[in-house]
Amino acid sequence: MTNPMYTLSPFTCARLKRLPKQPAVWEGDRRPISEGMLDAFGYDGTTPEGEDEASDCILWVDGTEGALRAVTIIPADTGHEAVVRTLLQAMEHPQGAIPPARPHKIVVRDREIHFFLRGALQDLDVTVDHADTLPIINEIFESLQQPEESDEAALPDDWQKVLNEQARQLWDNAPWNNLGDDQILKIDLNRWDLDTLYVSVLGMAGLEYGLLIYRSLESLTQFRKTAMLDTLSTRQMQQAFLSQDCLFLNFDLVQDEASSTLLPLPWMQSAPSEVIPEFGSLHPLEGLRTALELEEAAALRVCLEGLNSFFEEYESALSGADFPDLSHDYRVTDPIKGEALKVSIATCPTITAQLAVSEGIGVDPLSPMEFPRFRDDYIPEGAMVLLTRLSQKTFAPLQKGQHYHAIAKPPFKGKMMPIVIIQTSRPKAQKLVSQLQAAGEVQAVCFNPGGDPMTGDTLQLGLLHTGDSDFHLFIEILEDDSHDSELLEKWHQWCEESKGVCGVMIASGITGAARGKPGPKEKVAFFETVFKTPEELNLPPLQMSYALDWE
């Protein structure tokens, strides 16, 4: 008799039977995998506790269509019920653009799994069969076990060096200081089967830095439309990410572990000790690929050379509040043929405005750039950020003198005030104060939801809203971290008790005895402001800017 605990419930069977039944045969298997194969699936090969553990991979493949429907990585000691869970995922939520369906028959290689599935699926009207070999799954695992070197495109020896030099020049130009990822540029290339490319600059939110160079406007708009949906699961967001059609440059920021240990909280990071450029391609039919063909690498070289010239020539124009209408032709050298090549680069304010409307930001197409910009270039590198509250006796002295700024008067007279403290060196603190004053001072403090579509991490992004309507990232809080979530919960409680009044203190003394506990002597400026919700500021949830270093 079959254990009812390992049999699908009548409700589940009824739900699955409503799926269309295809005359298809699916292959399924569970196999041990190596660490290198884990990387190919996008997993880091460690348990949540950080201990090394053997892993198995469960695959379900449509043998009739040759399509991968579901894949799951599990610890090797997990029971066979995980095979059933992955099968249900393959039926109801398959990878890619494959529609949900129920197969006529499934075939497995392992006898134990065969008997387990026969019991679990006995009421589902799906034939469970056994075969000694599974050709499609064998082919998948054989390809994953090939040495990485065999997959690498053979680029000329000096090409990687040139690409890295151009990428580092782009890093120095830092276009994300002026451009958001929705402010689109176009490149008329007309070479290597690439006509007009569309460029999205990543980095203004301070989460991911780089470029997405779309092969078509349709791919750009389709991904942004999908990414803005708040009903997407992490897995659906990952699939949307892999369905883009673009070349990319991503900067991997390497943190110095020794310096990061000085920071008081786990989600605070210092400046990177090294910046490593990474290049690759995304395509709906092959996902992410980091081995570039010669023509793809040539296109990236030419695009980067032209973009660097464009950003250097128009830096002042691009730093304004409006997204200007600019265009310029550049003469570059075809790296394959060695002949002259014209590249035309232009801003696309009309497309940018249309994206804003389609994404629900509420911008009139005739008035681009009436939506907010997100910046991370004000808060000094290595600054310490503290969320605390001070008693009336402590914060009252901070409200005195010429370095006190308030958006409303009289000054707050409550018992306790929630305070954001940004502590750095005195010269950097003075520069930050000048920047905030020039930007119209701090009008509000806000914590806005954010997410990493690839890892599933949920964040709360601390933002300072200045008078020029820009938002400045000052902290990232990881919701899954108990310390972080408790601190954020306290902050909301404190602001409720203060009726929304809070303060932002810019302080010096990060290297002295007052590190982490600045007082009136370390105060460089004090901004009395208000705490506002994302709804009050008309802010949508933000996504991590498509982290491109997963494979």
Side-chain angles (χ1 to χ4, degrees):
M1 180 179 295
T2 303
N3 188 336
M5 187 174 69
Y6 296 113
T7 303
L8 293 179
S9 73
F11 305 103
T12 301
C13 287
R15 185 181 77 245
L16 295 173
K17 285 180 178 180
R18 289 195 291 269
L19 297 174
K21 190 174 184 179
Q22 297 179 341
V25 179
W26 294 1
E27 294 181 10
D29 204 4
R30 170 180 179 166
R31 300 189 184 183
I33 56 177
S34 63
E35 183 177 349
M37 293 168 67
L38 278 172
D39 293 339
F41 283 115
Y43 291 80
D44 61 10
T46 59
T47 66
E49 292 77 17
E51 300 177 356
D52 293 337
E53 181 180 283
S55 298
D56 285 354
C57 173
I58 300 172
L59 288 175
W60 282 102
V61 180
D62 185 336
T64 305
E65 298 292 335
L68 177 65
R69 293 189 67 96
V71 56
T72 304
I73 307 298
I74 59 171
D77 59 358
T78 305
H80 291 320
E81 57 270 17
V83 178
V84 179
R85 289 196 295 268
T86 308
L87 174 60
L88 267 57
Q89 176 183 318
M91 293 183 188
E92 296 187 286
H93 305 289
Q95 293 193 170
I98 305 173
R102 185 164 46 103
H104 168 71
K105 180 169 71 172
I106 60 175
V107 181
V108 296
R109 179 180 59 98
D110 185 277
R111 281 292 186 186
E112 286 188 12
I113 294 177
H114 177 225
F115 289 121
F116 188 89
L117 288 173
R118 286 180 62 184
L121 308 178
Q122 58 183 310
D123 299 323
L124 192 55
D125 190 26
V126 172
T127 302
V128 182
D129 209 345
H130 173 269
D132 293 329
T133 182
L134 303 172
I136 297 178
I137 290 182
N138 288 343
E139 183 179 343
I140 292 174
F141 271 84
E142 286 172 6
S143 66
L144 292 173
Q145 290 171 334
Q146 294 297 320
E148 289 188 15
E149 291 77 9
S150 65
D151 294 330
E152 293 295 327
L155 294 178
D157 293 339
D158 60 335
W159 278 47
Q160 191 67 45
K161 179 181 178 182
V162 174
L163 280 171
N164 287 341
E165 289 174 351
Q166 292 175 341
R168 293 185 186 281
Q169 184 180 352
L170 183 80
W171 178 262
D172 292 336
N173 288 329
W176 40 82
N177 286 344
N178 299 318
L179 298 176
D181 60 9
D182 52 357
Q183 293 174 283
I184 307 304
L185 297 93
K186 70 174 181 177
I187 303 175
D188 290 326
L189 187 60
N190 302 315
R191 185 67 62 102
W192 306 301
D193 295 323
L194 298 172
D195 297 324
T196 300
L197 305 172
Y198 296 88
V199 182
S200 175
V201 178
L202 311 180
M204 181 168 278
L207 303 176
E208 285 291 323
Y209 297 87
L211 300 175
L212 295 176
I213 305 177
Y214 288 89
R215 297 182 181 96
S216 71
L217 181 60
E218 180 184 3
S219 177
L220 184 153
T221 54
Q222 180 60 43
F223 174 73
R224 295 190 65 89
K225 179 180 178 181
T226 303
M228 291 296 292
L229 297 175
D230 56 9
T231 58
L232 287 184
S233 66
T234 299
R235 188 175 164 281
Q236 289 172 325
M237 187 63 211
Q238 180 179 10
Q239 192 57 46
F241 164 79
L242 294 174
S243 297
Q244 295 176 96
D245 185 11
C246 65
L247 299 170
F248 68 78
L249 162 61
N250 182 56
F251 291 100
D252 183 16
L253 309 186
V254 180
Q255 297 291 334
D256 186 343
E257 293 184 5
S259 65
S260 65
T261 58
L262 299 175
L263 298 174
L265 296 174
W267 33 260
M268 296 173 62
Q269 295 183 347
S270 59
S273 58
E274 187 178 4
V275 177
I276 302 175
E278 298 177 345
F279 308 91
S281 170
L282 285 163
H283 190 274
L285 298 182
E286 62 177 351
L288 187 147
R289 172 169 50 83
T290 57
L292 294 174
E293 297 296 328
L294 187 69
E295 291 78 7
E296 292 174 321
L300 267 176
R301 285 182 58 169
V302 168
C303 289
L304 286 174
E305 184 176 347
L307 286 169
N308 277 317
S309 298
F310 187 82
F311 291 140
E312 290 168 5
E313 182 174 359
Y314 294 110
E315 179 183 10
S316 177
L318 294 172
S319 64
D322 295 327
F323 189 39
D325 191 353
L326 305 170
S327 64
H328 201 284
D329 295 339
Y330 297 95
R331 290 285 176 181
V332 298
T333 300
D334 182 330
I336 297 179
K337 296 183 177 180
E339 60 188 29
L341 174 65
K342 184 181 79 169
V343 176
S344 300
I345 300 180
T347 57
C348 301
T350 301
I351 293 175
T352 296
Q354 291 171 348
L355 287 176
V357 173
S358 65
E359 293 169 9
I361 301 176
V363 181
D364 188 333
L366 300 178
S367 305
M369 286 308 300
E370 292 181 5
F371 47 91
R373 295 196 306 174
F374 296 87
R375 309 183 60 152
D376 75 327
D377 56 328
Y378 274 25
I379 308 304
E381 293 180 351
M384 176 179 289
V385 180
L386 305 171
L387 300 181
T388 185
R389 66 172 177 171
L390 304 177
S391 66
Q392 205 279 338
K393 179 180 179 181
T394 305
F395 72 71
L398 303 176
Q399 297 173 304
K400 299 177 181 179
Q402 59 178 343
H403 302 298
Y404 165 69
H405 311 271
I407 62 172
K409 293 184 179 182
F412 178 65
K413 298 294 186 180
K415 294 182 179 180
M416 303 287 286
M417 179 186 284
I419 302 288
V420 175
I421 299 178
I422 302 173
Q423 188 178 26
T424 182
S425 65
R426 182 164 291 275
K428 291 182 179 180
Q430 291 171 337
K431 179 182 178 181
L432 173 57
V433 172
S434 298
Q435 290 174 318
L436 292 174
Q437 287 180 286
E441 303 192 351
V442 180
Q443 300 298 307
V445 174
C446 175
F447 280 95
N448 193 58
D452 183 335
M454 298 299 290
T455 66
D457 287 342
T458 304
L459 306 169
Q460 286 288 332
L461 306 177
L463 303 169
L464 301 181
H465 186 211
T466 47
D468 58 2
S469 298
D470 284 355
F471 289 85
H472 304 269
L473 179 71
F474 68 88
I475 208 165
E476 300 168 24
I477 290 183
L478 184 62
E479 287 193 350
D480 289 341
D481 184 280
S482 58
H483 182 276
D484 285 13
S485 58
E486 181 180 351
L487 182 61
L488 186 60
E489 184 178 346
K490 286 182 178 179
W491 173 265
H492 283 91
Q493 180 181 340
W494 296 339
C495 289
E496 184 176 348
E497 294 173 358
S498 68
K499 298 182 180 180
V501 179
C502 62
V504 177
M505 176 180 170
I506 312 301
S508 62
I510 194 169
T511 60
R515 175 182 173 84
K517 47 182 180 181
K521 291 183 179 180
E522 288 72 39
K523 181 196 80 171
V524 177
F526 183 80
F527 295 87
E528 189 171 314
T529 184
V530 293
F531 176 72
K532 289 191 175 182
T533 64
E535 293 75 18
E536 290 176 304
L537 296 174
N538 196 28
L539 287 179
L542 302 176
Q543 289 283 358
M544 292 278 281
S545 298
Y546 328 134
L548 300 175
D549 52 351
W550 279 287
E551 299 184 25

